[in-house]
Amino acid sequence: MTTMTGFTSDPGDMKRAFSGFPSGVAALAARVHGEPTVMIVSSFAVGISHHPPMVSFAAQHSSTTWPVLSRAQTIGISVLGEEHSDKARQLASRTKESRFAGLGTTETTSGAIFLDGAPVWLECTVEHNYPAGDHDIIVLRVLAMMTDDDHNPIVWHRQTLKMLGS
């Protein structure tokens, strides 16, 4: 057996290590009090439950968007696709008024908003909220979904958006 050395609990090293795990990137969007609202998450996870279908993500306590978005009747989740790679930072911008500029969207009657060109759309409601350090883990129940195999997802890896296979 080999003994390993060099383990650390340094927060900077931990953040760098976590960034080495590729994760899906999704836009969560809905119309809240008449205003389109969107936030980008890189902690998106599917398959939390299959019966009923549930997905999750982590919302940072300092988020100013999640408290607004969490009040929506339904939330549209768009897994970001390759054509969104140059728009992801815009969608996450602090300037909320221009987040959707130049993007095609589709809205349901319940107010969920989806980005055109996404490989996966999920219409969801908030099911659970669990405290987890400086974040909350949000579990969403999937009400309806649609996939488009003609569009490939992008991932967040080492603090960069990447296309699969690159």
Side-chain angles (χ1 to χ4, degrees):
M1 179 187 302
T2 303
T3 304
M4 296 197 61
T5 59
F7 281 93
T8 180
S9 60
D10 176 76
D13 290 341
M14 193 73 64
K15 188 174 181 179
R16 210 168 17 266
F18 287 173
S19 78
F21 181 77
S23 60
V25 184
L28 283 65
R31 187 165 299 278
V32 183
H33 303 301
E35 295 295 320
T37 304
V38 64
M39 72 183 282
I40 298 297
V41 298
S42 62
S43 57
F44 182 66
V46 299
I48 303 305
S49 171
H50 293 276
H51 303 287
M54 294 186 185
V55 297
S56 70
F57 73 97
Q60 198 167 30
H61 289 165
S62 61
S63 171
T64 58
T65 304
W66 176 242
V68 174
L69 195 56
S70 69
R71 292 186 225 126
Q73 178 183 345
T74 61
I75 298 171
I77 298 178
S78 302
V79 172
L80 294 190
E82 292 174 347
E83 70 183 59
H84 302 119
S85 62
D86 63 339
K87 295 287 189 178
R89 293 201 190 280
Q90 172 187 317
L91 285 161
S93 168
R94 294 208 185 274
T95 309
K96 296 177 181 183
E97 297 77 30
S98 63
R99 288 182 179 175
F100 286 105
L103 288 166
T105 60
T106 299
E107 186 172 340
T108 65
T109 56
S110 63
I113 298 173
F114 300 96
L115 300 179
D116 295 347
V120 177
W121 284 359
L122 304 169
E123 185 175 18
C124 301
T125 59
V126 177
E127 185 79 11
H128 301 288
N129 183 337
Y130 301 106
D134 61 356
H135 284 67
D136 286 329
I137 297 171
I138 312 299
V139 178
L140 303 168
R141 181 185 292 250
V142 178
L143 305 175
M145 55 82 55
M146 189 167 66
T147 61
D148 183 347
D149 292 339
D150 290 334
H151 292 92
N152 292 316
I154 56 176
V155 296
W156 183 248
H157 182 241
R158 301 211 188 281
Q159 301 181 359
T160 305
L161 289 170
K162 297 183 178 177
M163 295 179 199
L164 293 179
S166 59

